[in-house]
């Protein structure tokens, strides 16, 4: 029999980890399939956030509500148990929901209508399954970074994640469930089913259960992963003794699926192994789907084919066979694309249908790594034993962002932009180093979090919970580096910030930033007076060195943390003395000074880094010089806290305080020549494809012709290879010895990279070049 095993009902659900924040849920939707169910619900999440009262500098902890969408995927075996849990925790605590409807899609939305009504007292409002799948697909491709990927099983890095595509449409969506549906999607509301096949996942499962002893889909795939189809299939070489060169057919090509079984008669002839039969069956189904998908894509002139459905489910063996088939039938002109969250598409679409009155689609959403399971290999291990008393629950969470995010207009080629300099999934040595580095730093991060809340009795307990959760994420990433897309230093930092927020540590460095800002403001007048005493060239050199010296004060760097914790007197002049002597590791200072002899820039966009000496003694004097040259300046900072980086809220106050000390800044602010804005980021790193829409519009309005990125996070870990249509400055002091050594330098080596804008197409540097070759020491290679 081919049905799933009847599991015991006496299971224990882990509600805190699975159905998170369910009591605060406002609505939910379901996608009910034959073997899996997906529950979606919307909740408000309370977060702590540090505010000031517009004085320099009192800090108050206040709570704010954020919007989150939760998705939970589980086996249908536990469906009734989960309905009981929902009734107890959601419906019963929201009496006003009784008698209302729940959006539902999938084949089970018809089968389980009565059960849902009996258990929850809610009517099922059934939504079209294909429409939900399409809307869900569009939603994840528009909102989730590294959502789509190619799969190359025999590559050292099998998962090749795609950047967000601004030109999303048109594309082909191939949904492989029991059968196959092929849909051409031209826009958000224009799509049509252009074809399909009755030979799909149901055929594979049905025939597989008859031809082998497998009882379910996972067991059948496990057999297939161990098999060799050549023992069952007849190949070209079996017929012709080798390749059929006249027709261009290689010898290993399948000429006849199951062809070798023709000679096997009842009780006679060759015995065939179950795993080989399963593998042959998988190839048969996959090749058929791949061929018809290619034909439809070519017929309609489509270049992108996304695959989803129960047949895929993230199984490496199915993704491999689909990829092989597409590559073969298209002669390498098309690539099969898969989705990290393809199992949630129907639930997402159904939820969006139920949330139309909230205009959910007008917002941008970001993945909450702290509450998501990630993409894991779902192939059962060789000693696979079906679960009989414990449930398997996968989770996916999305947080609503405060503002829509778009690409920076100054990017030279947004579709090819890749923010991260090194993809750790492709670099085992770098991956091990950074995972170890983040694990070693965990205790200090937790201690800093506790110290930031001295009046909270539960701070130590929450810090321990934070450590446990983040350490678990690191363990997952060691085993599955691809679990959340491309593994980078940025993603490790972002995940840590999200985990801190989960346990209400909104801004662990708030008091340190407060003290450093106040100290820097006290010495700003003296700094400005010194700069004004210098002649032009010497002043420009001092301003550049000031930016670099300020950038030394980074509490995210181990070497600097040790230095500042061990020496209270370590200040701006001491940081200046630590800088590498010229020539710097990357030294474009002379071309930059030469450029300053020319006409002023129209508008400079400066992405600020650290609070304290960095922003006040480094960035503000540089911005002041730009203004004095007749250049407008947009000075932007993170929208939310990360390490000791200055935030937009803090920057607004600091700008007013600096204006009280500097007439030039005061006039520039009042006349609009200097504008302080939020970047839309909440990370020490910077993804320029996702910046605040208002910032993007202001850049276009003012005609930004200079982009300044300072700090290791914004200029080294990310954007080192970013190409702009205008001039750019990327500058940082290397405060990590391992990274500095890899670049051919040492701690406190300087990167000062000036590049002229270009509209000429050229070779885009590899995103891993920084890890394999010396950085440029002359600007000539940029021209």
């Amino acid at each position: 029999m081919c049905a799933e095993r009847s599991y015991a009902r006496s299971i224990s659900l882990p509600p805190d980890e699975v159905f998170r924040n369910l009591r605060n849920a406002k609505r939910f939707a379901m996608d009910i399939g034959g073997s899996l169910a997906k529950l979606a619900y919307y909740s408000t999440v309370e977060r702590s956030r540090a505010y000031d009262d517009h004085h320099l500098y009192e800090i108050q902890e206040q709570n704010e509500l954020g919007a989150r969408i939760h998705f939970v995927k589980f086996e249908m075996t536990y469906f009734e148990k989960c309905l009981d849990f929902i009734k107890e925790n959601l419906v019963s605590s929201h009496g006003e929901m009784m008698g209302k409807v729940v959006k539902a899609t999938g084949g089970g939305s018809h089968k389980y209508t009565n059960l849902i009504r009996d258990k929850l007292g809610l009517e099922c409002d059934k939504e079209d399954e294909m429409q939900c799948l399409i809307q869900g697909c569009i939603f994840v491709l528009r909102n989730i970074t590294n959502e789509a990927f190619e799969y190359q099983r025999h590559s050292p890095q099998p998962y090749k994640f795609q950047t967000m595509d601004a030109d999303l449409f048109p594309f082909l969506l191939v949904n492989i469930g029991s059968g196959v549906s092929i849909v051409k999607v031209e826009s958000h509301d224009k799509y049509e089913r252009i074809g399909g096949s009755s030979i799909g996942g149901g055929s594979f499962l049905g025939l597989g259960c008859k031809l082998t002893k497998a009882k379910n889909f996972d067991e059948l795939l496990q057999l297939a992963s161990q098999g060799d189809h050549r023992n069952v299939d007849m190949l070209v070489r079996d017929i012709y003794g080798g390749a059929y060169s006249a027709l261009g057919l290689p010898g290993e090509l399948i000429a006849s699926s199951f062809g070798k079984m023709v000679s096997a008669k009842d009780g006679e002839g060759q015995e065939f192994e179950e795993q080989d039969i399963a593998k042959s069956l998988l190839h048969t189904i996959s090749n058929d789907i791949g061929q018809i998908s290619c034909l439809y894509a070519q017929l309609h002139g489509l270049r992108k084919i996304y695959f989803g459905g129960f047949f895929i489910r993230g199984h490496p063996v199915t993704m491999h066979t689909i990829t092989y088939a597409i590559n073969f039938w298209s002669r390498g002109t098309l690539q099969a694309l898969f989705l990290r969250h393809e199992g949630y598409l129907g639930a997402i679409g159904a939820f969006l249908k139920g949330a139309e009155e909230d205009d959910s689609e007008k917002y941008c959403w970001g993945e909450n790594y702290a509450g998501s399971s990630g993409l894991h290999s779902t192939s059962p291990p060789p000693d696979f034993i079906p679960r009989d008393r414990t449930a398997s629950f996968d989770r996916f969470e999305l947080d609503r962002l405060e503002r829509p995010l778009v690409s920076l207009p100054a990017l030279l080629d947004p579709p090819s932009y890749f923010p991260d300099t090194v993809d750790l999934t492709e670099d085992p040595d770098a991956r091990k180093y950074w995972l170890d580095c983040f694990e070693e730093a965990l205790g200090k991060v937790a201690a800093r979090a506790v110290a930031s809340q001295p009046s909270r009795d539960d701070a130590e307990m929450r810090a321990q919970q934070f450590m446990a959760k983040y350490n678990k994420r690191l363990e997952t990433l060691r085993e599955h580096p691809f679990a959340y897309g491309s593994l980078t230093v940025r993603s490790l930092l972002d995940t840590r910030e999200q985990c801190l927020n989960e346990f209400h540590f909104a801004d662990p460095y708030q008091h340190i930033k407060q003290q450093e800002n106040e100290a820097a403001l006290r010495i700003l007048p003296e700094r400005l007076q010194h700069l004004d005493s210098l002649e032009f060239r010497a002043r420009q050199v001092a301003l550049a060195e000031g930016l670099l010296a300020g950038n030394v004060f980074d509490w995210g760097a181990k070497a600097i943390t040790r230095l500042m914790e061990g020496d209270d007197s370590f200040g701006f002049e001491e940081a200046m003395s630590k800088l590498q002597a010229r020539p710097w590791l990357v030294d474009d200072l002379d071309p930059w000074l030469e450029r300053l002899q020319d006409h002023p820039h129209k508008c400079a966009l400066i992405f600020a880094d650290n609070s304290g000496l960095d922003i006040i003694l480094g960035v503000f004097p540089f911005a002041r010089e730009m203004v004095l040259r007749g250049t407008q300046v947009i000075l932007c900072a993170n929208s939310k806290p990360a390490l000791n980086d200055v935030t937009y809220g803090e920057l607004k106050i600091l700008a007013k305080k600096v204006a009280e000390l500097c007439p030039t800044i005061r006039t520039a602010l009042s006349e609009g020549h200097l504008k302080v804005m939020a970047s839309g980021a909440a990370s020490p790193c910077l993804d320029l494809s996702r910046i605040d829409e208002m910032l993007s519009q202001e850049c276009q309005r003012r005609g930004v012709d200079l982009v300044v990125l300072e700090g290791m996070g914004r200029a080294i870990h990310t954007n080192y290879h970013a190409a702009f249509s205008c001039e750019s400055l990327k500058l940082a002091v290397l405060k990590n010895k391992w990274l500095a050594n890899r670049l051919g330098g040492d701690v406190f080596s300087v990167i000062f990279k000036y590049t002229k804008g270009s509209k000429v197409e050229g070779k885009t540097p590899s995103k891993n070049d920084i890890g394999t070759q010396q950085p440029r020491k002359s600007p000539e290679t940029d021209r």
Side-chain angles (χ1 to χ4, degrees):
M1 190 173 171
C2 211
E4 291 280 354
R5 176 176 303 195
S6 177
Y7 297 112
R9 290 178 177 272
S10 56
I11 61 172
S12 176
L13 297 179
D16 292 338
E17 279 297 311
V18 176
F19 298 100
R20 287 160 36 100
N21 208 37
L22 188 60
R23 291 185 181 276
N24 291 328
K26 294 187 178 299
R27 67 177 62 85
F28 65 101
M30 294 181 180
D31 177 12
I32 309 170
S35 61
L36 292 174
K38 281 77 70 176
L39 172 70
Y41 60 96
Y42 171 98
S43 77
T44 53
V45 182
E46 189 176 88
R47 302 187 183 98
S48 296
R49 192 163 179 181
Y51 290 88
D52 56 76
D53 62 357
H54 299 284
H55 296 284
L56 198 74
Y57 197 100
E58 293 182 16
I59 297 170
Q60 301 174 357
E61 282 279 344
Q62 297 183 13
N63 290 332
E64 65 175 12
L65 293 180
R68 177 173 291 172
I69 308 177
H70 308 253
F71 301 93
V72 183
K73 181 169 60 176
F74 52 91
E75 296 168 6
M76 281 301 298
T77 306
Y78 310 108
F79 186 67
E80 188 170 347
K81 186 80 173 179
C82 289
L83 289 183
D84 290 336
F85 188 84
I86 293 166
K87 179 180 179 180
E88 178 184 346
N89 290 273
L90 177 61
V91 179
S92 295
S93 61
H94 292 71
E96 69 277 8
M97 293 185 63
M98 300 299 288
K100 292 188 177 182
V101 299
V102 54
K103 294 289 184 179
T105 189
S109 63
H110 299 273
K111 181 177 180 181
Y112 294 97
T113 295
N114 292 335
L115 181 62
I116 293 171
R117 183 189 300 118
D118 294 342
K119 289 283 186 181
L120 305 182
L122 303 178
E123 294 296 329
C124 279
D125 186 1
K126 304 176 187 67
E127 295 292 339
D128 179 74
E129 184 174 5
M130 187 55 62
Q131 189 177 37
C132 288
L133 285 169
I134 293 166
Q135 297 306 319
C137 181
I138 294 171
F139 181 87
V140 296
L141 289 172
R142 279 182 168 170
N143 286 277
I144 311 302
T145 56
N146 295 156
E147 175 61 33
F149 62 91
E150 298 174 16
Y151 183 77
Q152 304 290 341
R153 186 177 185 180
H154 300 300
S155 169
Q157 166 45 33
Y159 293 83
K160 183 180 179 181
F161 293 97
Q162 310 292 297
T163 57
M164 277 188 172
D165 191 350
D167 298 321
L168 179 59
F169 305 105
F171 63 85
L172 201 67
L173 176 60
V174 181
N175 187 61
I176 313 171
S178 297
V180 180
S181 287
I182 299 177
V183 183
K184 178 183 179 182
V185 183
E186 297 184 76
S187 69
H188 185 272
D189 55 5
K190 185 179 180 182
Y191 48 85
E192 67 171 315
R193 186 183 188 276
I194 57 176
S197 173
S198 62
I199 303 174
S203 310
F204 176 66
L205 185 58
L207 288 170
C209 287
K210 288 295 183 182
L211 294 171
T212 72
K213 293 185 176 66
K215 295 180 174 63
N216 56 54
F217 197 79
D218 284 338
E219 288 185 14
L220 189 56
L221 279 176
Q222 178 60 24
L223 276 177
S225 68
Q226 298 171 348
D228 187 342
H229 73 99
R230 294 172 297 183
N231 295 330
V232 175
D233 294 338
M234 185 175 292
L235 310 181
V236 168
R237 63 176 168 81
D238 295 324
I239 301 174
Y240 299 104
Y244 194 160
S245 302
L247 295 180
L249 302 178
E252 293 297 310
L253 184 66
I254 299 173
S256 174
S257 296
F258 296 97
K260 290 181 179 177
M261 296 185 74
V262 173
S263 61
K265 298 181 180 179
D266 295 340
E268 301 178 8
Q270 181 180 351
E271 292 291 333
F272 296 97
E273 299 293 334
E274 284 192 336
Q275 58 265 32
D276 299 335
I277 294 173
K279 188 62 169 286
S280 175
L281 180 60
L282 180 63
H283 276 289
T284 301
I285 303 295
S286 299
N287 283 333
D288 181 66
I289 295 172
Q291 184 176 28
I292 63 173
S293 298
C294 278
L295 291 173
Y296 276 112
Q298 292 166 348
L299 180 64
H300 291 268
L302 302 176
R303 304 293 303 168
K304 292 175 287 190
I305 310 177
Y306 295 102
F307 288 87
F310 179 81
F311 186 71
I312 304 296
R313 271 181 61 191
H315 284 279
V317 66
T318 57
M319 293 190 296
H320 170 67
T321 53
I322 289 288
T323 297
Y324 180 87
I326 290 293
N327 185 63
F328 176 82
W329 292 111
S330 72
R331 298 182 183 272
T333 61
L334 297 173
Q335 286 291 334
L337 294 170
F338 306 95
L339 302 173
R340 282 200 294 131
H341 301 104
E342 62 87 16
Y344 298 96
L345 300 187
I348 292 172
F351 178 84
L352 292 175
K353 284 288 185 180
E356 287 174 343
E357 65 271 21
D358 292 339
D359 292 328
S360 293
E361 293 185 24
K362 78 178 182 181
Y363 298 101
C364 277
W365 299 79
E367 183 174 4
N368 177 34
Y369 302 122
S372 299
S373 301
L375 174 69
H376 297 173
S377 171
T378 53
S379 286
D383 57 348
F384 173 72
I385 300 175
R387 295 178 293 269
D388 60 2
R389 294 186 64 85
T390 58
S392 174
F393 292 85
D394 287 333
R395 302 173 309 283
F396 171 39
E397 293 183 354
L398 291 169
D399 285 334
R400 192 175 73 191
L401 308 180
E402 294 179 352
R403 299 276 314 155
L405 302 180
V406 297
S407 289
L408 180 70
L411 286 173
L412 178 62
D413 182 27
S416 67
Y417 168 73
F418 186 84
D420 301 287
T421 304
V422 178
D423 186 340
L424 302 182
T425 55
E426 298 180 1
D427 190 330
D429 291 339
R431 179 169 70 245
K432 183 181 186 307
Y433 170 78
W434 286 111
L435 287 172
D436 289 347
C437 186
F438 277 87
E439 184 177 352
E440 290 169 9
L442 199 49
K444 280 190 173 291
V445 174
R448 178 66 58 192
V450 173
S452 71
Q453 298 180 355
S455 61
R456 299 285 296 273
D457 294 336
D458 63 344
E460 181 67 39
M461 178 192 69
R462 287 183 287 112
Q464 292 298 320
Q465 292 172 331
F466 152 72
M467 289 181 64
K469 169 154 273 192
Y470 189 63
N471 200 45
K472 186 176 181 180
R473 284 290 176 270
L474 294 178
E475 290 175 4
T476 297
L477 291 168
R478 289 184 192 278
E479 186 175 355
H480 303 287
F482 50 81
Y484 298 95
S486 294
L487 178 61
T488 64
V489 173
R490 173 171 63 97
S491 68
L492 289 170
L493 286 165
D494 290 353
T495 303
R496 189 172 71 184
E497 292 298 324
Q498 289 181 346
C499 288
L500 281 166
N501 274 284
E502 284 293 302
F503 297 101
H504 303 286
F505 294 110
D507 194 355
Y509 291 85
Q510 55 193 1
H511 296 291
I512 290 177
K513 291 189 291 182
Q514 175 194 48
Q515 296 164 6
E516 292 183 347
N517 285 331
E518 292 175 342
L521 282 169
R522 287 194 291 270
I523 57 178
L524 176 62
E526 180 183 346
R527 173 68 178 162
L528 294 179
Q529 185 177 6
H530 168 69
L531 291 169
D532 289 343
S533 69
L534 303 174
E535 53 87 20
F536 179 79
R537 183 180 177 88
R539 186 168 67 253
Q540 305 311 316
V541 172
L543 285 165
E545 291 176 340
L547 281 170
L548 294 164
N551 188 246
V552 168
F553 295 88
D554 183 354
W555 283 90
K558 185 191 302 183
I560 303 305
T561 301
R562 289 173 180 168
L563 196 61
M564 291 193 289
E565 287 179 340
D567 184 0
D568 293 337
S569 65
F570 187 80
F572 194 72
E573 294 301 323
E574 288 75 16
M576 196 82 78
S577 68
K578 288 285 186 181
L579 297 180
Q580 173 192 15
R582 294 190 67 195
W584 294 328
L585 188 61
V586 175
D587 195 337
D588 292 345
L589 179 60
D590 289 338
W592 170 246
L593 297 176
E594 181 182 343
R595 168 63 185 86
L596 291 177
Q597 298 284 352
D598 205 341
H599 65 277
H601 296 88
K602 183 177 181 180
C603 182
L605 171 64
I606 304 174
F607 288 95
D609 189 8
N610 305 311
S611 287
L613 298 175
D614 189 0
I615 183 65
I616 294 171
L617 300 188
V619 174
F620 268 112
F622 180 83
R624 172 179 178 260
E625 183 73 14
M626 289 283 105
V627 169
L628 288 171
R629 283 174 50 81
T631 299
Q632 297 184 59
V633 175
I634 302 173
L635 182 56
C636 54
N638 275 1
S639 298
K640 293 183 179 180
L643 291 174
N644 66 314
D645 291 3
V646 64
T647 65
Y648 170 59
E650 294 162 347
L651 186 56
K652 286 191 295 182
I653 297 168
L654 293 177
K656 292 178 182 178
K657 292 297 179 180
V658 171
E660 294 174 4
L661 303 171
C662 175
T664 301
I665 295 296
R666 181 167 62 249
T667 301
L669 284 171
S670 64
E671 295 181 354
H673 299 306
L674 171 62
K675 187 174 181 66
V676 174
M677 299 194 72
S679 68
S683 169
C685 297
L686 183 62
D687 181 354
L688 293 173
S689 69
R690 290 172 69 81
I691 65 166
D692 191 297
E693 185 179 47
M694 290 182 66
L695 175 59
S696 174
Q697 293 170 350
E698 191 69 13
C699 289
Q700 290 179 308
R701 189 179 75 81
R702 293 183 181 241
V704 165
D705 56 356
L706 173 66
V707 176
V708 181
L709 299 161
E710 66 139 351
M712 283 181 55
R714 292 164 182 80
I716 304 297
H717 292 311
T718 54
N719 299 306
Y720 188 78
H721 295 307
F724 299 96
S725 58
C726 64
E727 296 173 55
S728 66
L729 268 181
K730 302 171 187 175
L731 44 114
V733 177
L734 300 179
K735 294 155 296 225
N736 178 280
K737 185 173 180 61
W738 181 89
L739 179 60
N741 292 163
R742 207 176 217 218
L743 293 174
D746 206 341
V747 178
F748 298 113
S749 289
V750 169
I751 303 290
F752 192 97
K753 182 179 179 183
Y754 167 64
T755 308
K756 291 186 176 181
S758 173
K759 294 185 180 297
V760 180
E761 293 184 1
K763 178 182 179 295
T764 302
S766 165
K767 61 188 178 185
N768 277 346
D769 281 352
I770 194 169
T772 56
Q773 62 186 37
Q774 293 294 318
R776 301 182 327 286
K777 300 199 177 174
S778 166
E780 302 304 321
T781 55
D782 272 344
R783 298 178 178 173

